[in-house]
Amino acid sequence: MSIYLKQKGHGRPVTFHRAAERSCGYVIDVAGDKDLRGYTKKDANAFRDALIKRGLSGSSITRIFGTVRSVTNFAASEAGVSFNNPFSGVYFDRQAGVQEREPLAGEVIDTVQAECVSLDDDLRWLVALVSDTGMRLAEATGLALTDLVVEGDCKKVIIREHPWRRLKTAGSSREIPLVGKALWAAQRIYFHAAGQVHAFPRYNRGQLTNANSVSAASNKWLKPMVPTGCTIVDMYGISGHFHMRWIAATIGSVVYPIRKSMG
DNA sequence: TGACGTCACGTTCTGTACTT
DNA sequence: AAGTACAGAACGTGACGTCA
């Protein structure tokens, strides 16, 4: 694990390091801390059984096994050791306990948006912004003020990388038209935060954007307003379920938002 | 003491490479 | 072309910490 983190850990988020430490810790708990070549299929199977016994879902077990494989394959390669990785090809039900998310109903979003307008503060601007743009929570939280274009014909938000907030993938870089309550929120932010670097200074006090806090705070606030199990993520959609009620047509440099319900 | 933030751990998503 | 594995990233949530 130390070889893996030393070589691959540079510039990676804290969660990357923690995931490697935690997953390998689980292996050590079950099978002991051995030489790479000392682990057997029996160890890997016992490891799987221990994870199932803990009550982890299939997707979590997949994730943990993935990390262990990644660490062991890399360390073996670095050490010039060729071995048949016992953590590969271990069978378990990947779908066990996996839950599917449901999108929020349009009326629920209307209610939430009305509350955002009523309370009219930074957290509510963020929720409103997410609700009519479909951007990820971390993308919104880490916006610079200059990413919001709220004047002229082409009102939009620009999603781009910043030193304080990376993008999930290179393909995440994009522009989204500002419409509905997202436009309202963007204008509130723009005129409130004039002269500041960040659109949401409260969640950008350190060197890195803290979307974790927004997730905790927004979900706590949303809970009484949305169906059981629904969260901020369902405001913009995940797993293929998008509530987005807008599509966009670009003519020249102007983006025209079109409400889907208009047909 | 309550509101809000932080942390650790669990869960799910997504792009890429490889296989069927 | 479709399916699968792998690797990395983002988000949810409960426990706990902090501070007015």
Side-chain angles (χ1 to χ4, degrees):
Chain A
M1 189 182 73
S2 61
I3 292 170
Y4 179 76
L5 290 179
K6 193 175 175 187
Q7 299 296 332
K8 290 194 133 189
H10 285 296
R12 292 287 165 76
V14 199
T15 50
F16 176 88
H17 293 256
R18 285 193 192 134
E21 286 162 5
R22 194 166 58 243
S23 302
C24 291
Y26 292 161
V27 173
I28 292 168
D29 288 345
V30 173
D33 191 1
K34 299 193 268 200
D35 182 273
L36 212 47
R37 290 161 296 190
Y39 291 105
T40 63
K41 200 63 169 183
K42 198 176 165 192
D43 289 329
N45 289 343
F47 179 51
R48 168 202 61 197
D49 295 341
L51 295 178
I52 291 171
K53 198 176 172 190
R54 282 172 86 106
L56 297 188
S57 73
S59 54
S60 294
I61 296 175
T62 301
R63 184 68 196 83
I64 292 167
F65 259 93
T67 301
V68 170
R69 261 195 318 268
S70 180
V71 170
T72 47
N73 283 338
F74 183 80
S77 166
E78 281 290 295
V81 173
S82 59
F83 81 134
N84 197 0
N85 196 329
F87 297 99
S88 288
V90 176
Y91 175 78
F92 56 90
D93 181 0
R94 286 159 192 252
Q95 294 305 309
V98 174
Q99 295 187 337
E100 190 154 329
R101 307 199 70 92
E102 295 295 330
L104 283 176
E107 307 84 71
V108 176
I109 294 168
D110 290 340
T111 306
V112 172
Q113 289 181 333
E115 281 299 306
C116 288
V117 173
S118 168
L119 286 169
D120 197 22
D121 61 13
D122 59 350
L123 183 60
R124 260 48 66 166
W125 298 337
L126 208 155
V127 173
L129 192 60
V130 156
S131 75
D132 264 338
T133 56
M135 71 176 91
R136 295 187 182 96
L137 196 63
E139 288 174 340
T141 311
L143 283 173
L145 210 51
T146 49
D147 295 337
L148 296 170
V149 182
V150 299
E151 288 166 316
D153 278 343
C154 194
K155 298 178 178 65
K156 62 189 178 185
V157 54
I158 304 164
I159 311 292
R160 54 187 159 194
E161 187 137 358
H162 289 300
W164 55 84
R165 185 264 282 132
R166 61 187 297 173
L167 297 179
K168 184 171 182 176
T169 62
S172 299
S173 175
R174 66 202 186 280
E175 296 185 357
I176 307 169
L178 283 168
V179 294
K181 289 297 177 283
L183 177 59
W184 165 80
Q187 286 170 335
R188 300 292 293 149
I189 295 159
Y190 193 81
F191 294 115
H192 246 85
Q196 292 172 344
V197 172
H198 299 286
F200 300 100
R202 177 152 68 123
Y203 300 107
N204 290 276
R205 283 181 187 143
Q207 285 203 312
L208 296 172
T209 295
N210 191 353
N212 217 0
S213 296
V214 180
S215 170
S218 59
N219 283 332
K220 189 176 178 180
W221 176 68
L222 284 172
K223 206 164 194 171
M225 273 183 286
V226 298
T228 311
C230 285
T231 64
I232 184 72
V233 124
D234 305 300
M235 292 294 291
Y236 56 91
I238 203 163
S239 187
H241 292 301
F242 290 89
H243 89 266
M244 293 305 296
R245 293 173 289 182
W246 300 90
I247 56 177
T250 309
I251 301 173
S253 62
V254 182
V255 178
Y256 295 92
I258 303 166
R259 233 182 203 282
K260 279 187 186 171
S261 58
M262 291 167 76

